[in-house]
Amino acid sequence: EPEVTQTPSHQVTQMGQEVILRCVPISNHLYFYWYRQILGQKVEFLVSFYNNEISEKSEIFDDQFSVERPDGSNFTLKIRSTKLEDSAMYFCATTPGLAVPGEQYFGPGTRLTVT
Amino acid sequence: RKEVEQDPGPFNVPEGATVAFNCTYSNSASQSFFWYRQDCRKEPKLLMSVYSSGNEDGRFTAQLNRASQYISLLIRDSKLSDSATYLCVANGMDSSYKLIFGSGTRLLVRP
């Protein structure tokens, strides 16, 4: 069964450093999302991406964050200057279309630890 | 007010028990609802969609009451493997169809 993959599984970085989290969506999927989950809290939407552009972003997704799909396969989330409060699990999710938009397929996540 | 609210639990039940989870949502314009399951430190996985007519998948039954803005999940004949956190989820009413998650209800099934 096709699945969403994410790398790395765990990233430790120092405050102020840049990190890039990578996701490989399921091949025929068109809509891509990043969510995050701070330990012990709920899953929160960060950004959605369709047709090579952001379709919506949350208040969390400030100027420190960016997304791109550089090569038609990878979908990346960049945090330019990490803060302690960016420590969380970051999940990539994809969906083939909007017929059943809630059926999103999540990757295993990247655990980001900012020290 | 939280967009999607759930009782955090935990619900601690013996194997074979029937357990019900409830969820309320605040945005009456929300169209689609789902239950996702999340195991500890893992990704959310879709358990089932929720329809107004009610839908059943094996031991799981989901129900939506739009008038009360209330969603439920019933698990019959609980198994040890059902132990997880159950996330009530609504689709955001915008072009991106983002998911709006509740905080989850934790279920522990004991032998």
Side-chain angles (χ1 to χ4, degrees):
Chain A
E1 184 178 328
E3 57 185 23
V4 177
T5 59
Q6 289 186 243
T7 54
S9 57
H10 191 189
Q11 173 92 47
V12 181
T13 190
Q14 288 190 324
M15 196 167 53
Q17 296 297 304
E18 174 184 286
V19 294
I20 298 176
L21 311 183
R22 291 181 169 82
C23 168
V24 178
I26 296 173
S27 63
N28 62 341
H29 284 197
L30 301 176
Y31 294 81
F32 313 122
Y33 305 83
W34 283 101
Y35 294 86
R36 81 169 185 190
Q37 186 174 31
I38 295 170
L39 186 64
Q41 298 188 21
K42 67 179 182 179
V43 178
E44 300 174 288
F45 167 76
L46 291 179
V47 65
S48 58
F49 192 85
Y50 170 69
N51 203 25
N52 285 320
E53 60 183 28
I54 290 174
S55 50
E56 187 182 354
K57 57 185 180 180
S58 71
E59 291 177 357
I60 303 167
F61 195 89
D62 62 21
D63 292 344
Q64 296 299 315
F65 291 85
S66 62
V67 290
E68 63 175 3
R69 198 156 182 240
D71 56 12
S73 59
N74 288 289
F75 176 50
T76 62
L77 174 69
K78 182 192 291 186
I79 309 175
R80 193 151 49 93
S81 178
T82 50
K83 306 182 185 69
L84 294 176
E85 55 265 36
D86 293 328
S87 295
M89 280 289 285
Y90 288 81
F91 295 109
C92 172
T94 74
T95 190
L98 297 181
V100 189
E103 291 187 3
Q104 295 183 12
Y105 297 80
F106 282 73
T110 293
R111 179 172 303 282
L112 177 64
T113 302
V114 182
T115 61
Chain B
R1 184 179 174 187
K2 293 178 185 175
E3 289 193 72
V4 178
E5 286 202 68
Q6 297 181 250
D7 179 346
F11 285 63
N12 191 324
V13 302
E15 268 187 293
T18 295
V19 61
F21 304 139
N22 304 318
C23 165
T24 56
Y25 61 95
S26 61
N27 188 344
S28 59
S30 295
Q31 291 284 342
S32 306
F33 303 91
F34 309 88
W35 284 101
Y36 275 71
R37 169 191 168 131
Q38 186 174 32
D39 292 292
C40 188
R41 296 182 177 241
K42 300 286 190 182
E43 73 273 24
K45 290 187 177 176
L46 178 66
L47 181 66
M48 60 196 304
S49 302
V50 187
Y51 305 117
S52 296
S53 54
N55 49 306
E56 189 173 309
D57 183 2
R59 298 181 293 108
F60 298 85
T61 301
Q63 194 81 46
L64 166 64
N65 183 322
R66 288 193 185 273
S68 305
Q69 294 182 206
Y70 172 94
I71 301 157
S72 64
L73 177 69
L74 183 77
I75 305 176
R76 290 180 298 277
D77 189 22
S78 299
K79 311 291 184 194
L80 295 177
S81 57
D82 293 333
S83 296
T85 298
Y86 290 83
L87 308 176
C88 181
V89 183
N91 251 146
M93 284 306 300
D94 44 54
S95 60
S96 75
Y97 292 93
K98 65 178 182 285
L99 297 182
I100 301 169
F101 286 81
S103 299
T105 299
R106 192 163 170 226
L107 173 65
L108 302 171
V109 181
R110 63 181 188 271

